[in-house]
Amino acid sequence: MFKQTTWEKTLIFELSTSGRIGHQVGELSGKEKSLLNQVKQRISPKLLRRELPDLPEVSELSVIRHFTRLSQMNYGIDTGFYPLGSCTMKYNPKICDLVTTFPEAQNIHPYQDPSTVQGSLQIMYKLAKWLAELSGMSKVTLQPAAGAHGEYTGMMIVRKYHESKGSLNKKTEIIIPDSAHGTNPATATMCGFKTVVIPSNEDGCVDLEALRLAVTDKTAGLMLTNPNTLGIFEQNIEEIINIIHEVDGLTYYDGANFNAIMGKVRPGDMGFDIVHFNLHKTFATPHGGGGPGAGPVGVISRLEPFLPVPTVDFDPKTKLYFFQYDHPQSIGKVRSYFGNFSIILRAYTYILRLGYEGLIAVSEMAVLNANYMKTLCQTIKGFSVPFGKDSFCMHEFVLSSQQILKDTNISALDISKFMIDRGFHPPTIYFPQIVPEALMIEPTETEPKKMLDGFIAILRDISKFVYSDQEDQRNQILEAPCNVSVRRIDDVKAARNPILSYRMLKQQKE
Ligand SMILES: *Cc1c(COP(=O)(O)O)cnc(C)c1O
């Protein structure tokens, strides 16, 4: 079990002693000196900095200790279990990082002539083909930089499609189930549509009656998160798609959680028109690190003309890869240049190393791990699975601690803080909102059984402690976390009065 280290919070600025240095820079040559002078003279706006910044003056050893301690106060997938539902915080093979450090990947520039970067274009072309194959789509763009950005690209394609048929003024609504990811309604709204939310039925799936009532001539399309945020595979997909297609709406598959279905089923075979992937969940880039990411989008052949420009294409005559800008009906560019190449390269490496059989094994393990945990977690007193209790889940499931709140007044937040004390990252809490006191658990495919058992054992302890008549056991939960560098924070104060730099701290003290 990983325990964070706590240190006295001395800032590196406070360790500073005037004149101390931790590095040696050689003397500048005559040529370098004159170059530096030239540059100095050319800095023209008066406001630009001319004197040295206020940097801490410390020895090399102080710097090493400072950053090593910071890393020990941190928590990540390399230190422990991270079952953050909907985020797929799995272990990503280090080789995928390694390839991005190769000079062939680092020392290239997007303005270079395509003839000089044929290898990179080939990687983009092949990855797009593989993603198209995995999803059953006709063509894929790698441009979007995130999942939500992929959704944006998809919704702009929906707009263009209706515009091309002269019906955009009529097609104003996008239908979204309440079990969708939160970005779906936000995206539809941002793209100028009215979002029509429909409720789930008691199985946690789309309520077909509610869907039929919501669909009208105004329906431009539907966005479906599958597996949905309850970790459930939608039951009536063919019927849902037919209902939307009957009014000439397009169907969008939010495939952010592709690790649940890879090599098993394809959105294209189900009848979907547009799909997005999160390379920074399923394909070897960590999610949740604040970026960069990649959210490629695949479409059926009828929608290909609307894809962002340029597309990466191959000319069989010249045997050269090239950027194709000649798509008059394109929605335009959605990102500078051609996408986040380092993320594309990681995904390419990941798929190449695993192969098709390996990708199938990924999905099988992700689903097996989640079902193992779901089966055991719901037997623990105080916890329940409100949706899909008796059926299989996909790669994640949503536990509720509502009974514990009712019986003992201890909340999902208290429970998750206690997990931190036991060396585990808590699951996603209070999402999805259709489950009260939600704990959304995604174990991922890379965790061994021992780790899953360790997490389940903590839930058992929590149950024992909250129902205990010994005051100190209840308090252990209410006061957690104790053994960490940052204890419970004042969320409101942190939002209203953030201190984000040493300068802000100094101002605050003065
Ligand atoms: C993570 C996620 C998204 C959004 O992806 P970002 O890259 O964070 O924008 C969208 N839909 C689902 C289902 C997700 O899990």
Side-chain angles (χ1 to χ4, degrees), residues 85-88 145-151 179-184 187 224-229 252 254-257 276-281 287-288 293-295 395-396 431 440 442:
S86 194
C87 286
T88 316
H149 196 194
E151 294 170 31
S179 61
H181 195 263
T183 48
N184 292 184
T187 302
L224 196 77
T225 303
N226 188 54
N228 64 28
T229 54
Y252 184 95
D254 180 332
N257 298 309
H276 93 256
F277 310 82
N278 273 44
L279 297 190
H280 52 287
K281 279 183 186 168
H287 180 257
H395 64 302
E396 65 190 356
F431 181 82
M440 186 192 208
E442 180 179 6

Short mmCIF file of all heavy atoms in Angstrom, two decimals, residues 85-88 145-151 179-184 187 224-229 252 254-257 276-281 287-288 293-295 395-396 431 440 442, ligand 1:
data_model
loop_
_atom_site.label_atom_id
_atom_site.label_comp_id
_atom_site.label_asym_id
_atom_site.label_seq_id
_atom_site.Cartn_x
_atom_site.Cartn_y
_atom_site.Cartn_z
N GLY A 85 -13.87 6.27 -11.79
CA GLY A 85 -14.86 5.90 -12.80
C GLY A 85 -14.94 6.91 -13.93
O GLY A 85 -14.83 8.11 -13.71
N SER A 86 -15.07 6.40 -15.15
CA SER A 86 -15.23 7.20 -16.36
C SER A 86 -13.91 7.77 -16.87
O SER A 86 -13.86 8.37 -17.93
CB SER A 86 -16.23 8.35 -16.14
OG SER A 86 -16.58 8.90 -17.39
N CYS A 87 -12.83 7.57 -16.13
CA CYS A 87 -11.56 8.18 -16.52
C CYS A 87 -10.51 7.19 -17.02
O CYS A 87 -9.51 7.59 -17.59
CB CYS A 87 -10.99 8.99 -15.37
SG CYS A 87 -11.89 10.52 -15.12
N THR A 88 -10.73 5.89 -16.80
CA THR A 88 -9.82 4.86 -17.26
C THR A 88 -8.37 5.16 -16.86
O THR A 88 -7.50 5.35 -17.71
CB THR A 88 -9.92 4.64 -18.79
OG1 THR A 88 -11.29 4.63 -19.14
CG2 THR A 88 -9.30 3.33 -19.21
N ALA A 145 -8.56 17.41 -30.11
CA ALA A 145 -7.54 17.30 -29.06
C ALA A 145 -8.07 16.73 -27.75
O ALA A 145 -7.33 16.62 -26.78
CB ALA A 145 -6.92 18.67 -28.81
N ALA A 146 -9.35 16.38 -27.70
CA ALA A 146 -9.93 15.81 -26.48
C ALA A 146 -11.24 15.12 -26.83
O ALA A 146 -11.74 15.26 -27.95
CB ALA A 146 -10.18 16.91 -25.44
N GLY A 147 -11.79 14.41 -25.84
CA GLY A 147 -13.08 13.76 -26.07
C GLY A 147 -14.16 14.78 -26.38
O GLY A 147 -14.90 14.66 -27.37
N ALA A 148 -14.24 15.81 -25.54
CA ALA A 148 -15.27 16.83 -25.75
C ALA A 148 -15.05 17.56 -27.08
O ALA A 148 -16.01 17.96 -27.74
CB ALA A 148 -15.24 17.83 -24.59
N HIS A 149 -13.80 17.68 -27.47
CA HIS A 149 -13.48 18.31 -28.76
C HIS A 149 -13.92 17.42 -29.92
O HIS A 149 -14.38 17.91 -30.96
CB HIS A 149 -11.97 18.57 -28.80
CG HIS A 149 -11.54 19.54 -29.86
ND1 HIS A 149 -10.23 19.67 -30.24
CD2 HIS A 149 -12.24 20.40 -30.63
CE1 HIS A 149 -10.15 20.59 -31.20
NE2 HIS A 149 -11.35 21.04 -31.45
N GLY A 150 -13.84 16.10 -29.72
CA GLY A 150 -14.35 15.15 -30.70
C GLY A 150 -15.87 15.29 -30.83
O GLY A 150 -16.42 15.29 -31.93
N GLU A 151 -16.53 15.43 -29.69
CA GLU A 151 -17.98 15.63 -29.71
C GLU A 151 -18.32 16.90 -30.49
O GLU A 151 -19.26 16.92 -31.30
CB GLU A 151 -18.53 15.77 -28.29
CG GLU A 151 -18.40 14.51 -27.45
CD GLU A 151 -18.73 14.78 -25.99
OE1 GLU A 151 -19.56 15.68 -25.71
OE2 GLU A 151 -18.14 14.12 -25.12
N SER A 179 -28.32 9.45 -18.80
CA SER A 179 -27.16 8.64 -18.37
C SER A 179 -25.94 8.94 -19.25
O SER A 179 -24.97 8.19 -19.24
CB SER A 179 -27.51 7.16 -18.46
OG SER A 179 -27.83 6.83 -19.80
N ALA A 180 -26.01 10.03 -20.03
CA ALA A 180 -24.88 10.40 -20.89
C ALA A 180 -23.80 11.09 -20.08
O ALA A 180 -24.05 11.58 -18.98
CB ALA A 180 -25.34 11.32 -22.00
N HIS A 181 -22.61 11.15 -20.63
CA HIS A 181 -21.54 11.92 -20.02
C HIS A 181 -21.91 13.40 -20.07
O HIS A 181 -22.54 13.85 -21.03
CB HIS A 181 -20.24 11.68 -20.79
CG HIS A 181 -19.02 12.14 -20.06
ND1 HIS A 181 -18.44 13.36 -20.28
CD2 HIS A 181 -18.28 11.54 -19.09
CE1 HIS A 181 -17.39 13.49 -19.49
NE2 HIS A 181 -17.27 12.41 -18.76
N GLY A 182 -21.51 14.15 -19.05
CA GLY A 182 -21.90 15.56 -18.93
C GLY A 182 -21.47 16.43 -20.10
O GLY A 182 -22.08 17.47 -20.37
N THR A 183 -20.41 16.01 -20.79
CA THR A 183 -19.95 16.83 -21.91
C THR A 183 -20.93 16.79 -23.09
O THR A 183 -20.94 17.71 -23.90
CB THR A 183 -18.57 16.34 -22.42
OG1 THR A 183 -18.62 14.93 -22.58
CG2 THR A 183 -17.46 16.71 -21.45
N ASN A 184 -21.75 15.72 -23.20
CA ASN A 184 -22.65 15.59 -24.35
C ASN A 184 -23.64 16.76 -24.45
O ASN A 184 -23.68 17.44 -25.49
CB ASN A 184 -23.41 14.25 -24.33
CG ASN A 184 -22.52 13.03 -24.56
OD1 ASN A 184 -23.01 11.91 -24.65
ND2 ASN A 184 -21.22 13.21 -24.65
N THR A 187 -21.82 20.00 -25.25
CA THR A 187 -21.37 20.11 -26.63
C THR A 187 -22.52 20.47 -27.57
O THR A 187 -22.39 21.36 -28.42
CB THR A 187 -20.76 18.77 -27.10
OG1 THR A 187 -19.69 18.44 -26.23
CG2 THR A 187 -20.26 18.87 -28.52
N LEU A 224 -25.35 9.14 -27.89
CA LEU A 224 -25.49 8.04 -26.95
C LEU A 224 -24.12 7.68 -26.38
O LEU A 224 -23.19 7.39 -27.13
CB LEU A 224 -26.09 6.82 -27.65
CG LEU A 224 -26.63 5.75 -26.71
CD1 LEU A 224 -27.99 6.18 -26.14
CD2 LEU A 224 -26.77 4.42 -27.43
N THR A 225 -24.01 7.71 -25.05
CA THR A 225 -22.79 7.23 -24.40
C THR A 225 -22.98 5.74 -24.15
O THR A 225 -23.94 5.34 -23.49
CB THR A 225 -22.58 7.96 -23.05
OG1 THR A 225 -22.51 9.36 -23.28
CG2 THR A 225 -21.29 7.51 -22.40
N ASN A 226 -22.11 4.94 -24.74
CA ASN A 226 -22.25 3.49 -24.56
C ASN A 226 -20.87 2.85 -24.38
O ASN A 226 -19.99 3.06 -25.20
CB ASN A 226 -22.94 2.87 -25.77
CG ASN A 226 -23.27 1.41 -25.53
OD1 ASN A 226 -23.91 1.07 -24.56
ND2 ASN A 226 -22.79 0.55 -26.40
N PRO A 227 -20.68 2.03 -23.33
CA PRO A 227 -21.56 1.84 -22.20
C PRO A 227 -21.88 3.20 -21.56
O PRO A 227 -21.04 4.09 -21.57
CB PRO A 227 -20.72 1.00 -21.23
CG PRO A 227 -19.61 0.41 -22.05
CD PRO A 227 -19.41 1.30 -23.19
N ASN A 228 -23.11 3.32 -21.03
CA ASN A 228 -23.49 4.62 -20.47
C ASN A 228 -22.77 4.86 -19.14
O ASN A 228 -21.98 4.03 -18.70
CB ASN A 228 -25.01 4.74 -20.36
CG ASN A 228 -25.60 3.72 -19.38
OD1 ASN A 228 -24.95 3.28 -18.44
ND2 ASN A 228 -26.85 3.34 -19.61
N THR A 229 -23.04 6.00 -18.51
CA THR A 229 -22.26 6.35 -17.31
C THR A 229 -22.59 5.46 -16.12
O THR A 229 -21.95 5.56 -15.08
CB THR A 229 -22.46 7.82 -16.91
OG1 THR A 229 -23.84 8.06 -16.78
CG2 THR A 229 -21.86 8.76 -17.93
N TYR A 252 -24.91 9.59 -32.88
CA TYR A 252 -23.54 9.84 -32.43
C TYR A 252 -23.21 8.88 -31.29
O TYR A 252 -23.95 8.80 -30.30
CB TYR A 252 -23.40 11.28 -31.95
CG TYR A 252 -21.98 11.64 -31.56
CD1 TYR A 252 -21.12 12.24 -32.46
CD2 TYR A 252 -21.51 11.37 -30.27
CE1 TYR A 252 -19.81 12.55 -32.11
CE2 TYR A 252 -20.21 11.68 -29.91
CZ TYR A 252 -19.37 12.27 -30.83
OH TYR A 252 -18.08 12.58 -30.48
N ASP A 254 -20.76 8.11 -28.32
CA ASP A 254 -19.67 8.58 -27.46
C ASP A 254 -18.86 7.35 -27.04
O ASP A 254 -19.27 6.57 -26.19
CB ASP A 254 -20.25 9.30 -26.24
CG ASP A 254 -19.16 9.82 -25.30
OD1 ASP A 254 -18.07 9.21 -25.26
OD2 ASP A 254 -19.41 10.82 -24.61
N GLY A 255 -17.71 7.18 -27.70
CA GLY A 255 -16.90 5.98 -27.48
C GLY A 255 -15.70 6.23 -26.58
O GLY A 255 -14.68 5.56 -26.70
N ALA A 256 -15.83 7.21 -25.66
CA ALA A 256 -14.71 7.53 -24.77
C ALA A 256 -14.25 6.29 -24.01
O ALA A 256 -13.08 6.14 -23.69
CB ALA A 256 -15.10 8.63 -23.81
N ASN A 257 -15.21 5.41 -23.71
CA ASN A 257 -14.87 4.23 -22.92
C ASN A 257 -14.78 3.00 -23.81
O ASN A 257 -15.39 1.98 -23.56
CB ASN A 257 -15.89 4.06 -21.80
CG ASN A 257 -15.87 5.26 -20.87
OD1 ASN A 257 -14.81 5.65 -20.38
ND2 ASN A 257 -17.01 5.87 -20.65
N HIS A 276 -16.65 9.00 -31.52
CA HIS A 276 -15.36 9.54 -31.11
C HIS A 276 -14.67 8.58 -30.14
O HIS A 276 -15.32 7.78 -29.47
CB HIS A 276 -15.46 10.96 -30.51
CG HIS A 276 -15.61 11.01 -29.01
ND1 HIS A 276 -16.81 11.29 -28.40
CD2 HIS A 276 -14.71 10.83 -28.01
CE1 HIS A 276 -16.64 11.26 -27.09
NE2 HIS A 276 -15.38 10.99 -26.82
N PHE A 277 -13.34 8.65 -30.13
CA PHE A 277 -12.51 7.84 -29.23
C PHE A 277 -11.77 8.79 -28.30
O PHE A 277 -11.53 9.94 -28.65
CB PHE A 277 -11.41 7.09 -30.00
CG PHE A 277 -11.90 6.33 -31.19
CD1 PHE A 277 -12.12 6.97 -32.41
CD2 PHE A 277 -12.12 4.96 -31.12
CE1 PHE A 277 -12.56 6.27 -33.51
CE2 PHE A 277 -12.56 4.26 -32.22
CZ PHE A 277 -12.78 4.91 -33.42
N ASN A 278 -11.39 8.31 -27.13
CA ASN A 278 -10.45 9.06 -26.29
C ASN A 278 -9.13 8.29 -26.31
O ASN A 278 -8.98 7.30 -25.60
CB ASN A 278 -10.95 9.16 -24.85
CG ASN A 278 -11.86 10.34 -24.62
OD1 ASN A 278 -12.73 10.61 -25.44
ND2 ASN A 278 -11.66 11.05 -23.53
N LEU A 279 -8.18 8.75 -27.12
CA LEU A 279 -6.88 8.08 -27.10
C LEU A 279 -6.28 8.19 -25.71
O LEU A 279 -5.55 7.30 -25.26
CB LEU A 279 -5.93 8.69 -28.14
CG LEU A 279 -6.35 8.57 -29.62
CD1 LEU A 279 -5.21 9.00 -30.52
CD2 LEU A 279 -6.82 7.18 -29.97
N HIS A 280 -6.59 9.30 -25.00
CA HIS A 280 -6.09 9.48 -23.64
C HIS A 280 -7.00 8.81 -22.61
O HIS A 280 -7.25 9.34 -21.55
CB HIS A 280 -5.92 10.96 -23.34
CG HIS A 280 -7.14 11.78 -23.63
ND1 HIS A 280 -7.54 12.06 -24.90
CD2 HIS A 280 -8.04 12.35 -22.82
CE1 HIS A 280 -8.65 12.78 -24.85
NE2 HIS A 280 -8.97 12.97 -23.60
N LYS A 281 -7.57 7.69 -22.94
CA LYS A 281 -8.19 6.81 -21.95
C LYS A 281 -7.86 5.39 -22.37
O LYS A 281 -7.19 4.67 -21.67
CB LYS A 281 -9.71 7.00 -21.92
CG LYS A 281 -10.15 8.18 -21.12
CD LYS A 281 -11.65 8.30 -21.06
CE LYS A 281 -12.03 9.60 -20.36
NZ LYS A 281 -13.45 9.94 -20.50
N HIS A 287 -5.32 9.72 -18.75
CA HIS A 287 -6.36 10.75 -18.72
C HIS A 287 -6.27 11.46 -17.38
O HIS A 287 -5.79 10.91 -16.41
CB HIS A 287 -7.73 10.09 -18.86
CG HIS A 287 -8.86 11.05 -18.83
ND1 HIS A 287 -9.65 11.22 -17.74
CD2 HIS A 287 -9.33 11.89 -19.77
CE1 HIS A 287 -10.57 12.13 -18.01
NE2 HIS A 287 -10.40 12.56 -19.24
N GLY A 288 -6.68 12.69 -17.35
CA GLY A 288 -6.76 13.37 -16.08
C GLY A 288 -5.51 14.15 -15.73
O GLY A 288 -5.42 14.76 -14.69
N GLY A 293 -4.31 15.65 -25.07
CA GLY A 293 -5.05 14.43 -25.35
C GLY A 293 -5.35 14.34 -26.83
O GLY A 293 -4.81 15.11 -27.63
N ALA A 294 -6.19 13.37 -27.19
CA ALA A 294 -6.63 13.26 -28.58
C ALA A 294 -7.98 12.56 -28.63
O ALA A 294 -8.16 11.53 -27.98
CB ALA A 294 -5.60 12.49 -29.42
N GLY A 295 -8.91 13.14 -29.37
CA GLY A 295 -10.26 12.59 -29.49
C GLY A 295 -10.67 12.37 -30.93
O GLY A 295 -11.56 13.05 -31.43
N HIS A 395 -17.24 -2.02 -18.21
CA HIS A 395 -15.92 -1.77 -17.63
C HIS A 395 -15.98 -1.04 -16.30
O HIS A 395 -14.97 -0.81 -15.67
CB HIS A 395 -15.10 -0.93 -18.60
CG HIS A 395 -15.72 0.41 -18.81
ND1 HIS A 395 -17.01 0.56 -19.26
CD2 HIS A 395 -15.27 1.65 -18.56
CE1 HIS A 395 -17.30 1.85 -19.30
NE2 HIS A 395 -16.27 2.53 -18.88
N GLU A 396 -17.18 -0.61 -15.90
CA GLU A 396 -17.32 0.11 -14.63
C GLU A 396 -18.72 -0.10 -14.07
O GLU A 396 -19.61 -0.60 -14.76
CB GLU A 396 -17.02 1.61 -14.80
CG GLU A 396 -18.00 2.34 -15.68
CD GLU A 396 -17.56 3.77 -16.03
OE1 GLU A 396 -16.51 4.21 -15.53
OE2 GLU A 396 -18.27 4.41 -16.81
N PHE A 431 -21.31 11.24 -9.13
CA PHE A 431 -21.56 11.19 -10.56
C PHE A 431 -21.67 9.73 -10.96
O PHE A 431 -20.86 8.91 -10.51
CB PHE A 431 -20.41 11.87 -11.33
CG PHE A 431 -20.62 11.88 -12.82
CD1 PHE A 431 -21.43 12.84 -13.42
CD2 PHE A 431 -20.06 10.90 -13.63
CE1 PHE A 431 -21.65 12.84 -14.78
CE2 PHE A 431 -20.28 10.89 -14.99
CZ PHE A 431 -21.08 11.86 -15.58
N MET A 440 -18.46 5.80 -8.33
CA MET A 440 -18.36 5.21 -9.66
C MET A 440 -16.99 4.56 -9.81
O MET A 440 -15.96 5.24 -9.86
CB MET A 440 -18.54 6.34 -10.68
CG MET A 440 -18.61 5.90 -12.10
SD MET A 440 -18.44 7.39 -13.09
CE MET A 440 -19.35 6.91 -14.54
N GLU A 442 -14.14 2.22 -11.58
CA GLU A 442 -13.60 1.62 -12.80
C GLU A 442 -12.23 1.03 -12.49
O GLU A 442 -11.23 1.74 -12.43
CB GLU A 442 -13.47 2.69 -13.91
CG GLU A 442 -12.90 2.10 -15.19
CD GLU A 442 -12.75 3.09 -16.34
OE1 GLU A 442 -12.98 4.30 -16.14
OE2 GLU A 442 -12.41 2.64 -17.44
C1 LIG B 1 -14.00 11.31 -20.55
C2 LIG B 1 -15.25 11.30 -21.32
C3 LIG B 1 -15.57 12.34 -22.21
C4 LIG B 1 -14.75 13.61 -22.34
O1 LIG B 1 -13.43 13.42 -22.68
P1 LIG B 1 -12.38 14.62 -22.45
O2 LIG B 1 -11.16 14.21 -23.18
O3 LIG B 1 -12.18 14.72 -20.96
O4 LIG B 1 -12.96 15.88 -23.01
C5 LIG B 1 -16.72 12.23 -22.94
N1 LIG B 1 -17.54 11.17 -22.80
C6 LIG B 1 -17.28 10.16 -21.94
C7 LIG B 1 -18.22 9.00 -21.84
C8 LIG B 1 -16.13 10.19 -21.17
O5 LIG B 1 -15.89 9.19 -20.31
#
